[in-house]
Amino acid sequence: MTPFTQLTAPACPLVRSNVDTDQLIPARFMKEPRRVGYGQFLLYDLRHDDTGKPIGDFILNQPGADQSQIMVTRRNFGAGSSREAAVYALVDFGFRCVIAPSFGDIFSSNAVNNGLLPALVSEADADRLLNALETEPTHITVDLATQQIHFADQIIPFDINAVWKTKLLNGWDDIDLTEGYRSAIDSFLLTYQTRYPWTQGQPEGALGLIARDNR
Amino acid sequence: MSRQTLFDKIWQSHEICQNDEGQSLLWVDRHLAHEGSFHAFNKLAERGLTVRHPELTLGIADHYVPTLSRSLTDVNEKTRNVIEQLISNTRAHGVPLIGMNDPRQGIVHVVGPELGLTQPGLVMVCGDSHTSTHGALGALAFGIGASEVAHVLATQTLWQNKPKQLRIRINGSLSPAVSAKDIALAWISRLGADGARGYAIEYAGSAIDDLSVEARLTLCNLSIEGGARCGMIAPDEKTIEYLRDRPMAPKGEDFEFASTWWRTLATDADASFDREVELDASDIAPQVTWGTSPEEAMPITGRVPNPDDEHSPDKARQHRDSLEYMGLKPDQLLTDIVINRIFIGSCTNARIEDLRAAAAVLKGRKSKVPGLISAGSTQVKAQAEAEGLDQIFIDAGLEWRESGCSMCVGMNGDQLKSGERCASSTNRNFKGRQGLGSRTHLMSPAMVAAAAVAGHLADVRPLLQEVSQS
């Protein structure tokens, strides 16, 4: 995964609360393989009218929006469904950072697992940023090491879980990291299986029967 | 070992180690995989990895399955392709699968408890946010994304930050016709759709003790709609009796051994929570949502809110936006909202007790609008048919369908048309959730049945009184 250190890019204001993952990518697009590029599906029903025509004044349809790498929005962004496709849509569109006062928990984990920084700011700072972006399209700088956002001549701080910060800064992937814990897992399992033997697999035949019925 | 919550006890027993930043590596006892798992299986394939413990994952087709029949010719090619990928991925990795034609098929969160796969004290995950459902039996269960699903498949473990803990106590007793769905919508409307963000919830109090296991599943299912990581209820004798003799529950001596442990899992009397919220059960009336977030819910006796009365500018803007999308006017009576369709189904409210509650209202009555009823599982469907509930629904003019996620998420093509308004027993009233331009009002199955009979949103209580008088 590409490490996230510092990013200077045009920021895109999405002045809405509760932008859930069903809005980020409507379910009907989720049958598609990732290779088709999920950016085209991002906020599809907000970007298009009922006939599928792009809505001109929607923020992502405006000139230059495709250069944007930072989204600024309101509370409870990414709530709802655990669909990682919502993050794929943002990342494939070109976003590397979303700034908001709160995020859905599962969305945040998914974001970090795809190198997308979910930067938490206060409601007041989100307002300041959104106000600044309303008047002119602005380049802003997000610095992960110092947890600061620079725009115009202002600096606002953001929060990020310490573990996620380390992962993003280094571009680490959990599966690679966990490989290093193989012996810890094995020794845990020895004790665990002795203590809670019924948790390992199923009563004889239960799952096997299912497997046979379907094969 | 004292002063621990239910959550602490399960977390501790599954914690393999912590990393330098304090994140925990947890052992995962059970993983459920539906059709959406194809991204995760693709990730394994890209890296040439195998499934570490195939016996601890169970595949079930639910999100995309047709409900008109069990034939793959009833869905379009792309949908068929997604279902077929689940079959081929589970086969390639030796993962057991409950296929679409299996009598045990159903929605993952209905099937898990029904088969006894869900048990107290287990850590359970699934690439679906409503995995919180399984917490009703005292499991630590939560939804994860595709990258995490790939991690679970490859290692049977998961890195997690320990959430804070919130106890929601519901004291007293619920009034007649008030259900677990109403408890959930009541607390979410009070705390907000992100009110429990960052928390694991434990539900407690006399009203929770009194709930059936199925009602508890509904309550825990909706934990995610308030932003919580998971929702749990301490296992009690009701839980243990529910699990006894289920096909995947431990058997004989194993069951006695397991249940001895299950009885020790309840939160210790002197354990503390990061936050406590209390509600009085007798204050909760049947709820409906009027907006596009589950937090936009209120008692059926109320009026649509007026954004001009809202002090917070952001809230006022949100309410205006919701009213516009929903085609509603400020201050209009909720019971004046005319509906076009009803849907009873989903992992939230499609168990046998839900269908019985709806049938009690619909018996001998006609629905003024068309609608679908899709049982939560094929077993629930068979049970309902044995009890004659299907005939009550059909006589009322409604469609009796096969089991699946169906119109809750519309992935299989069961959708509303743009602008159609639906009284729905599901979990999300998000914009476009039930189809492009769809308008969803969430409520309990009994309230959906009342709306069907009235043709508009309606209070189920007078209808049930008529039933008991006749």
Side-chain angles (χ1 to χ4, degrees):
Chain A
M1 218 159 52
T2 319
F4 188 112
T5 49
Q6 195 189 65
L7 174 68
T8 300
C12 166
L14 186 67
V15 193
R16 288 165 187 266
S17 317
N18 291 328
V19 177
D20 52 70
T21 53
D22 273 76
Q23 289 182 72
L24 283 169
I25 180 165
R28 62 185 183 279
F29 300 120
M30 288 164 53
K31 299 185 277 290
E32 302 295 336
R34 176 76 184 273
R35 64 174 179 273
V36 304
Y38 272 38
Q40 57 184 312
F41 308 132
L42 178 64
L43 294 164
Y44 191 93
D45 291 342
L46 291 176
R47 273 162 77 189
H48 301 83
D49 65 18
D50 282 5
T51 66
K53 222 177 78 191
I55 299 168
D57 61 357
F58 185 69
I59 185 73
L60 291 185
N61 293 334
Q62 288 174 15
D66 55 344
Q67 299 304 309
S68 186
Q69 296 183 55
I70 301 165
M71 182 176 278
V72 185
T73 186
R74 294 195 182 277
R75 66 174 263 266
N76 207 24
F77 187 83
S81 157
S82 59
R83 57 186 73 169
E84 195 160 304
V87 171
Y88 301 158
L90 284 160
V91 169
D92 289 359
F93 191 91
F95 286 104
R96 303 241 19 234
C97 172
V98 183
I99 301 170
S102 64
F103 295 95
D105 279 343
I106 306 175
F107 173 86
S108 300
S109 311
N110 292 344
V112 171
N113 283 329
N114 288 275
L116 177 74
L117 166 64
L120 272 174
V121 295
S122 68
E123 295 267 0
D125 283 342
D127 275 341
R128 281 167 62 198
L129 257 172
L130 287 169
N131 287 337
L133 295 171
E134 206 171 8
T135 47
E136 53 178 347
T138 310
H139 274 74
I140 69 176
T141 297
V142 178
D143 186 69
L144 181 53
T146 59
Q147 296 183 214
Q148 286 179 339
I149 299 162
H150 300 249
F151 68 103
D153 52 356
Q154 304 189 54
I155 297 175
I156 57 178
F158 69 86
D159 267 343
I160 174 85
N161 172 286
V163 187
W164 288 349
K165 179 177 176 176
T166 311
K167 269 179 68 172
L168 286 164
L169 281 171
N170 295 288
W172 282 341
D173 173 285
D174 277 348
I175 294 180
D176 293 340
L177 287 182
T178 308
E179 268 310 299
Y181 290 85
R182 186 61 75 82
S183 65
I185 297 170
D186 289 345
S187 66
F188 165 88
L189 207 48
L190 275 179
T191 319
Y192 186 80
Q193 284 171 333
T194 314
R195 228 165 152 181
Y196 311 106
W198 66 89
T199 64
Q200 303 307 304
Q202 297 301 327
E204 199 168 336
L207 280 180
L209 189 61
I210 284 168
R212 275 201 303 279
D213 276 0
N214 288 281
R215 300 293 151 79
Chain B
M1 288 294 277
S2 70
R3 295 171 65 87
Q4 281 190 310
T5 64
L6 164 65
F7 178 89
D8 290 331
K9 293 177 191 184
I10 303 177
W11 185 278
Q12 191 184 58
S13 60
H14 289 76
E15 189 177 58
I16 296 161
C17 59
Q18 288 188 7
N19 64 16
D20 293 343
E21 290 86 10
Q23 208 177 23
S24 301
L25 186 64
L26 296 182
W27 176 251
V28 174
D29 296 296
R30 299 281 184 275
H31 168 228
L32 298 165
H34 57 79
E35 302 94 308
S37 59
F38 73 88
H39 285 296
F41 279 107
N42 287 350
K43 204 168 272 239
L44 286 195
E46 277 167 26
R47 292 160 163 256
L49 295 169
T50 56
V51 177
R52 183 90 177 134
H53 286 276
E55 76 284 8
L56 299 181
T57 288
L58 177 60
I60 305 180
D62 59 2
H63 278 64
Y64 289 88
V65 297
T67 57
L68 269 171
S69 76
R70 295 276 84 155
S71 167
L72 277 178
T73 55
D74 269 2
V75 290
N76 66 35
E77 192 190 337
K78 280 186 175 170
T79 303
R80 189 161 57 243
N81 186 25
V82 175
I83 299 171
E84 282 172 347
Q85 282 183 73
L86 178 68
I87 298 169
S88 57
N89 283 327
T90 49
R91 182 177 294 156
H93 291 280
V95 169
L97 172 73
I98 295 182
M100 194 169 63
N101 291 300
D102 192 300
R104 289 156 296 193
Q105 181 274 345
I107 306 172
V108 285
H109 309 311
V110 176
V111 172
E114 189 173 78
L115 293 182
L117 180 85
T118 306
Q119 294 159 24
L122 298 184
V123 168
M124 297 181 64
V125 298
C126 173
D128 187 279
S129 59
H130 293 111
T131 308
S132 59
T133 311
H134 307 269
L137 294 173
L140 171 49
F142 51 92
I144 55 178
S147 297
E148 291 173 315
V149 170
H151 190 275
V152 170
L153 288 170
T155 69
Q156 203 58 34
T157 66
L158 202 57
W159 289 103
Q160 288 288 296
N161 301 310
K162 193 173 184 182
K164 291 180 285 184
Q165 296 184 58
L166 162 66
R167 178 159 57 188
I168 299 183
R169 277 185 184 280
I170 314 288
N171 302 315
S173 305
L174 290 174
S175 309
V178 177
S179 68
K181 181 66 155 285
D182 302 304
I183 298 177
L185 290 175
W187 83 252
I188 294 165
S189 66
R190 185 163 136 182
L191 300 189
D194 56 355
R197 190 178 44 79
Y199 288 94
I201 298 177
E202 180 176 341
Y203 298 98
S206 53
I208 305 301
D209 296 339
D210 291 345
L211 290 179
S212 68
V213 169
E214 291 200 357
R216 293 175 185 181
L217 290 162
T218 298
L219 179 62
C220 289
N221 171 279
L222 290 161
S223 303
I224 180 71
E225 305 313 329
R229 200 78 185 89
C230 61
M232 324 170 71
I233 294 171
D236 59 8
E237 293 309 309
K238 245 185 237 182
T239 318
I240 292 168
E241 284 320 304
Y242 175 91
L243 282 169
R244 195 183 293 278
D245 299 328
R246 299 228 169 225
M248 293 191 187
K251 298 274 177 286
E253 273 183 21
D254 275 351
F255 187 87
E256 300 315 318
F257 189 51
S259 54
T260 304
W261 182 58
W262 297 343
R263 288 189 178 92
T264 68
L265 289 171
T267 292
D268 299 324
D270 52 355
S272 66
F273 287 77
D274 298 289
R275 190 177 168 200
E276 301 244 21
V277 171
E278 295 200 22
L279 268 78
D280 192 330
S282 60
D283 290 343
I284 301 175
Q287 308 277 312
V288 295
T289 61
W290 53 268
T292 59
S293 163
E295 71 186 12
E296 293 173 333
M298 55 164 56
I300 181 65
T301 48
R303 286 172 184 274
V304 171
N306 191 330
D308 292 343
D309 300 339
E310 188 52 62
H311 296 297
S312 143
D314 188 39
K315 255 268 125 68
R317 189 169 33 230
Q318 180 191 323
H319 285 186
R320 267 187 209 99
D321 184 55
S322 292
L323 293 185
E324 191 195 332
Y325 181 84
M326 293 298 288
L328 298 176
K329 293 190 188 67
D331 297 321
Q332 85 178 95
L333 279 171
L334 290 170
T335 48
D336 283 345
I337 298 175
V338 174
I339 57 162
N340 309 106
R341 271 180 196 275
I342 64 116
F343 177 66
I344 296 175
S346 84
C347 57
T348 306
N349 273 130
R351 296 178 185 82
I352 192 66
E353 289 177 12
D354 298 318
L355 300 186
R356 286 178 190 146
V361 178
L362 285 162
K363 188 170 186 179
R365 293 183 168 125
K366 293 282 178 198
S367 175
K368 288 211 168 85
V369 296
L372 301 188
I373 299 180
S374 170
S377 74
T378 304
Q379 286 198 50
V380 170
K381 182 168 183 272
Q383 171 81 28
E385 287 168 358
E387 295 179 17
L389 307 184
D390 59 327
Q391 205 51 52
I392 293 173
F393 299 134
I394 292 165
D395 290 347
L398 299 164
E399 286 185 60
W400 177 243
R401 294 287 190 92
E402 299 289 340
S403 152
C405 297
S406 184
M407 203 188 272
C408 174
V409 67
M411 286 175 167
N412 70 339
D414 293 347
Q415 289 186 340
L416 297 174
K417 295 193 189 75
S418 186
E420 276 190 329
R421 187 183 298 285
C422 183
S424 187
S425 77
T426 54
N427 42 57
R428 286 184 177 138
N429 50 347
F430 294 165
K431 289 174 183 168
R433 170 84 175 178
Q434 293 187 293
L436 181 61
S438 58
R439 293 166 169 165
T440 306
H441 295 274
L442 304 176
M443 62 198 78
S444 70
M447 286 285 286
V448 172
V453 170
H456 53 78
L457 302 191
D459 194 332
V460 67
R461 292 173 290 189
L463 285 174
L464 283 174
Q465 272 163 16
E466 281 173 39
V467 169
S468 63
Q469 278 160 10
S470 61

